[in-house]
Amino acid sequence: HDSDADVGGNTSHADDRLSAVAADFPQSDLKSNALGAKRRLESVGKTMPLEGKTLDGRGFDLAKAKGRIVLIHYWATWADPCKPDLATIKSLQAKFGGQGFSPVGVNLDTNATDAIEFVRQEKLSWPQLYDQGGLDGSLAANLGVLTLPTMILVGKDGRVINRSVNAGELEA
């Protein structure tokens, strides 16, 4: 997963284009996705709002995770490139959970049953945010997530450290 594949590696050009798309399509989903992607591009060093319901019906709010290093993993059962990341995250949680590492999944399946079954089968023990809209839902649109997997690393101070981390970087 190329860390800047969704913007072709040129973030300032991407920022300009995303602003233009948002202006040109004010009434469409394109606008919210473009503004979300712009928000994600500009997120390093800033706090990031992320809240919602988990697959098991609990509330989750990233703001309450201050003091922990949080890895946000956007994924879906149908996106095969996400699956090796889940094994890496499981291993990192076992190794560093006691030191403040907390993964949180953002599942973008359109069918909750698929996600619940997969989480059970793979024994994923960390919170899994879910909203039935998939890639078109608010959890994806808020940060313009268009490609899976997308991972964001948030520091103990609640600020984004890396807006597009990959599993290889996490293992290092």
Side-chain angles (χ1 to χ4, degrees), residues 14-168:
D15 191 47
D16 293 344
R17 292 300 309 137
L18 291 167
S19 295
V21 167
D24 291 347
F25 300 94
Q27 301 302 317
S28 80
D29 289 344
L30 280 176
K31 178 181 180 178
S32 61
N33 282 333
L35 291 176
K38 186 173 170 17
R39 196 174 304 122
R40 182 166 41 89
L41 285 176
E42 298 169 348
S43 66
V44 174
K46 297 179 182 173
T47 58
M48 187 180 90
L50 178 65
E51 54 187 297
K53 289 274 186 219
T54 60
L55 281 169
D56 59 5
R58 296 187 188 146
F60 176 87
D61 184 354
L62 181 61
K64 293 181 178 159
K66 275 197 178 148
R68 303 188 66 73
I69 294 171
V70 179
L71 176 69
I72 304 163
H73 180 238
Y74 288 81
W75 70 284
T77 59
W78 49 261
D80 288 337
C82 297
K83 293 174 184 171
D85 291 348
L86 293 168
T88 301
I89 293 167
K90 199 185 283 190
S91 150
L92 289 169
Q93 185 187 32
K95 210 186 284 185
F96 300 112
Q99 298 166 38
F101 175 77
S102 294
V104 60
V106 180
N107 178 274
L108 297 177
D109 279 290
T110 52
N111 180 340
T113 308
D114 293 343
I116 290 166
E117 194 57 41
F118 186 88
V119 166
R120 248 188 226 129
Q121 183 182 324
E122 296 297 318
K123 297 178 175 64
L124 305 180
S125 60
W126 55 92
Q128 300 291 333
L129 282 166
Y130 178 79
D131 125 40
Q132 67 187 24
L135 280 170
D136 295 324
S138 63
L139 288 173
N142 284 343
L143 290 173
V145 173
L146 302 171
T147 59
L148 299 177
T150 292
M151 289 192 276
I152 300 168
L153 193 61
V154 178
K156 290 183 177 186
D157 62 357
R159 297 179 187 280
V160 174
I161 297 170
N162 186 327
R163 64 177 165 72
S164 191
V165 70
N166 68 53

